[in-house]
Structures are given as C-alpha cells and as structure tokens.
Amino acid sequence: MLEEWLAPKAAALEVRGLTRRLRARSADDDLIDLAGNDYLGLARDSRVIEAAAEAVCRWGTGATASRLVTGTTTLHEELESALAAYVGQTAGLVFSSGYLANLGVVTALGGPGTLLVSDEHVHASLIDAGRLARSRVEIVPHNDVEAVTKVLAERNEPHAVVATESVFSVLSDEAPLVPLAEVAAAHNAVLLVDEAHGLGVTGGGRGSVYAAGLAGLDHVIVTMTLSKALASQGGVVLGPAVLREHLINRSRPFIYDTALTPASCAAALAALQVLEAEPDRPAAIHSAAARLATASGVAAAAGAVVSVPMPGPRETVRAAEFCRDNGVLVGSFRPPSVPDGISRLRLTAHAGLSDDELARACAVISQAISEVS
C-alpha cells in the first residue's frame, strides 16, 4: 500500500530535481566544511569535548525524564543563568532543541486571543509553531515594518506576538529590530526574535538583540539554538522571569519532552565560556564570510552564511557535488527550503578556518559556479 501511495510523490520530486538524500559522513572526514553550522569552530574543541565527557561520567548518558520530573540538573540551571547573563536577559529556559524552543514559546502564548504576525522568511519551526498555536496568523512581507504596523493596528485580539529572526537563515540578512520593537511596544504586542544565527556571530557574539539595545525589555523575547555557535544541542527561550514561569506551566514541548542531556548542557556551557574568553572569534567569522562572498560574486551578509543564487535546483546540486569532489563541503538549498523560491548554494563561514583552507575553498567555489552557470 505504501509503495502505491508514496512512489508517485517521490517521482514528482525527482522530476523537479528536489529529491533529498542522506549522506553519512565519517569521523575522519577531511573535507573543508562550509555546510555545517559550527560557527565558532568549537565542535571539536578539547575544552568543549572534555566538559561533555565529564558530564557523561558524572550524570550518565541521558537526562532520564522530563524536566518537571527528574530531568532538571544543576547543569541546566547553570546554563540558563549563564546564557541569560551573557545576552542581557533576565531569565532563560532550556529546551531539548531550538525547534522545540520556538514551538514551546509560541504555542504557550498563542490561542484565540492572540494574533501572531510572522515575517514571510521565518524558520520552519516558527511556521509550524503558528500552525499549532490556535491563533490567527498574519504573514507579512519580509522585513516590512509598515505591514506589521498595519496588521497590529487593525487587530481585534487583545494580545499579539510579532515573530522574526535577527539574522535570517537563508539570505543571512538582518531584521529591522529597533523599529519592530518600537511598533510592538506602541501596539501592546510582544516581539519574538529567533537568534539562532545571531548568537556567537553578531553583536560581538552576544547577538543582534543585545547589539540593538533591546536586551532585557519586558516586551522582547529571544530564542536561541545551542547547536550552532555553541557546538552542542538544544535550545533556549530568554526573557522576563514571568515568561519562564509561564512556560514551565504551559509549554507542552517543555512539559512532555525528556530534558536535554547533561552532556549537551555541559558542552554548551563550556562553549559559551570559550566565547567569553576569546571574544575575537565572531570577527573571524565575518572575515571568512567576506572572503567567501567575494569569491562567489555576492555581497557579504550580516551573518555567517553566504547565500549564492543559482540558475535552478539541478545546477545547485551539481555545483555542490563539484565542490565535494574537490574537497569542499557546501550546502545546497532548494525549494521549499528557500523562502524566495530561488535555489542557492549556502556557504557557512567558521571562525576556525585557516587561511589555506579559505583560499582553497574560494578557488573551488568560484570554479563550481562558473561550471554550472
């Protein structure tokens, strides 16, 4: 039955060049990695690895239960306090993934009395959160503050949440956070900013909300993932203490999910400590991103990602395969993963790239683009 049901769907994707396939990597893979999100180059840092290993030896391999049962450890609370202090927020609550952090906060604030205003380029986790929130959802054009203002002014709901990313995951452009925060405040709304691609990258590492002077405001909520700059796993919601208490009691992805493993907490905490001790790492990300952008013939963006438009999905895959065959691993984004429908090579800059690796990567990428264009 499943073969009859699913085979035509798979064939339709194949015809359009949109089939996705898993490709396992080995631990000793020697490719230059421009596809992963290890922005600060800490995934193999000995300090981060040792912290995770020590946590396994002390706490075991799993958290054992949800956080409201036995899953909360002193590591969870230490990580929450450290993250909040670093980005200038009052309190934080750690989830087992960044995806669940977005689901958790939006659904806990949502309902028939809450309007959700969502930028059209937000991450899939925020899109899915809106679908589950039981709220009316208004999708506004990308970075359009006037559209947000109009929707908020015309709403009938007593509450509203404006959802955006600080640095968008595909185009790597920045949201107009200050105007959005002002509009939200003027219309008694909350601004929710996903800093998945800002933490460790913008604002000297502290993120775009901090850099914009919005940290700690009682109508601004921040979500972050621990799986990119902090080289671990998990997510966090940051904001006023009253929000943390609300999520503990109302957020289903928090209440019913097994807690983040202690090893992941320890790794993220160690990575954060490295970032604080070595504040030049974010600048190294931007330097590498600028070189990759020049080699690709595009403008440097606000974040670590360099997004390179391609003629179509098949050309994108061919260019990525050319790069891989020549020792460089890059991302290939095709619909529906791209918000504007344009297939792209996605190059991720890392603080740990050497000059030789960058020079080699730039040469390969430039040749790949020429080959398919």
Side-chain angles (χ1 to χ4, degrees), residues 8 22 60 72 113 171 185 187 207 273 282 288 320 324 339 343 346 360:
L22 296 175
T72 298
L171 302 185
H187 291 85
Q273 291 165 348
R324 184 183 183 91
S343 296
R346 186 176 187 270
R360 172 62 180 162

Side-chain angles (χ1 to χ4, degrees), residues 193-262:
V193 184
D194 184 344
E195 285 262 42
H197 302 276
L199 176 63
V201 179
T202 58
R206 299 177 191 270
S208 300
V209 171
Y210 182 93
L214 304 177
L217 297 184
D218 63 3
H219 75 295
V220 176
I221 299 170
V222 172
T223 61
M224 294 175 171
T225 179
L226 312 179
S227 61
K228 294 180 172 60
L230 297 188
S232 182
Q233 191 72 28
V236 63
V237 179
L238 300 144
V242 66
L243 173 66
R244 185 178 190 273
E245 294 306 310
H246 179 73
L247 295 176
I248 290 172
N249 287 279
R250 295 287 187 175
S251 176
R252 292 173 66 86
F254 177 84
I255 295 169
Y256 296 108
D257 189 38
T258 298
L260 184 66
T261 66

Side-chain angles (χ1 to χ4, degrees), residues 86-142:
Y86 182 68
V87 301
Q89 296 290 343
T90 304
L93 189 67
V94 165
F95 288 69
S96 57
S97 76
Y99 205 106
L100 289 180
N102 278 337
L103 285 183
V105 66
V106 172
T107 55
L109 294 174
T114 300
L115 169 67
L116 178 62
V117 184
S118 179
D119 187 287
E120 65 177 341
H121 283 197
V122 295
H123 188 261
S125 57
L126 286 170
I127 295 172
D128 291 350
R131 292 168 176 168
L132 294 172
R134 300 172 293 111
S135 293
R136 180 167 69 92
V137 178
E138 288 287 345
I139 299 172
V140 294
H142 182 49

Side-chain angles (χ1 to χ4, degrees), residues 346-361:
R346 186 176 187 270
L347 318 176
T348 305
H350 305 295
L353 292 168
S354 68
D355 285 342
D356 287 346
E357 287 174 326
L358 269 173
R360 172 62 180 162

Side-chain angles (χ1 to χ4, degrees), residues 9-93:
K9 297 179 181 293
L13 288 175
E14 189 68 37
V15 167
R16 296 163 60 198
L18 301 180
T19 301
R20 287 157 171 77
R21 294 180 174 87
L22 296 175
R23 192 193 301 248
R25 62 184 175 93
S26 61
D28 58 353
D29 195 334
D30 61 356
L31 295 173
I32 299 171
D33 182 11
L34 299 181
N37 295 318
D38 182 23
Y39 294 150
L40 295 172
L42 295 176
R44 291 183 178 272
D45 187 283
S46 60
R47 294 162 290 186
V48 177
I49 293 171
E50 288 167 8
E54 182 181 344
V56 169
C57 292
R58 183 180 181 191
W59 294 97
T61 56
T64 75
S66 71
R67 290 197 56 185
L68 286 171
V69 184
T70 60
T72 298
T73 69
T74 53
L75 282 173
H76 290 83
E77 294 185 337
E78 186 179 354
L79 176 59
E80 288 165 347
S81 296
L83 284 168
Y86 182 68
V87 301
Q89 296 290 343
T90 304
L93 189 67

